[in-house]
Amino acid sequence: QGYMALTFDFRGYRESGGDKDIEFMDRDVRASAGFLREQGATGVFLAGASMGGTASLKVASENGVAGVVSLSAPVDFNGLSVKGVRVRVPTLLMAAKDDRGAVTSLEEMVSLGIVGGPGLAQSVVYEGIADHGTRLIVPGAETETAVKERILEFLKANSE
């Protein structure tokens, strides 16, 4: 699709070294955005699932990114929180209707003004499933194609 992409494991997870420090996961997201800029990226979008979505939203509130995509992000997770932040870049929030915690967090982010502003926040809730986070886009997931297409539409609509 012509986009440069970077995936990584948060410190202390899977192949990454160090200790898990959920409260400060936004530091890893901030560093990844900086790395992409060093590689020549001019418009950086952040995307994350579950706690990665929370960390991405937190960084998007402060870091001059082009936009953010969040799948099933909680408002608060083990010390990592977006309460009190204001994301004022294009934002796409996605969740599965039967993942009640994710839907409640999505609704709270909108109602508290964590995300939004005229035309900035979009939310999509997929009916009839309970998948959470990356389970919305794994190969074979009921929502895989729809979620991927929606993300690409969002990127295209908000790219320079």
Side-chain angles (χ1 to χ4, degrees):
Q1 299 292 322
Y3 296 101
M4 179 189 313
L6 171 69
T7 62
F8 66 92
D9 292 326
F10 285 107
R11 69 185 75 198
Y13 286 82
R14 299 176 47 142
E15 302 298 317
S16 182
D19 296 323
K20 289 181 183 179
D21 199 350
I22 294 170
E23 182 179 356
F24 299 110
M25 285 184 156
D26 55 303
R27 293 176 181 173
D28 294 340
V29 174
R30 199 172 294 107
S32 70
F35 177 78
L36 284 170
R37 288 184 181 104
E38 290 170 6
Q39 304 308 304
T42 55
V44 174
F45 286 84
L46 303 176
S50 194
M51 63 188 177
T54 307
S56 293
L57 288 162
K58 186 171 181 181
V59 172
S61 73
E62 65 193 38
N63 202 29
V65 297
V68 62
V69 176
S70 172
L71 305 174
S72 312
V75 171
D76 293 295
F77 184 78
N78 291 349
L80 178 67
S81 179
V82 291
K83 280 193 176 166
V85 305
R86 298 291 177 258
V87 179
R88 296 298 179 253
V89 297
T91 304
L92 176 60
L93 303 172
M94 305 173 92
K97 181 162 183 137
D98 294 338
D99 181 0
R100 286 305 312 151
V103 172
T104 299
S105 283
L106 180 152
E107 292 168 348
E108 187 176 354
M109 286 180 206
V110 173
S111 69
L112 293 177
I114 293 168
V115 299
L120 291 180
Q122 304 169 33
S123 57
V124 180
V125 176
Y126 291 93
E127 298 287 330
I129 58 169
D131 289 341
H132 181 79
T134 57
R135 302 285 307 156
L136 293 168
I137 58 171
V138 295
E142 184 178 337
T143 54
E144 174 193 9
T145 300
V147 171
K148 287 179 180 179
E149 287 175 359
R150 186 68 189 91
I151 292 169
L152 286 172
E153 288 172 13
F154 176 80
L155 294 175
K156 288 176 187 171
N158 293 289
S159 295
E160 298 177 328

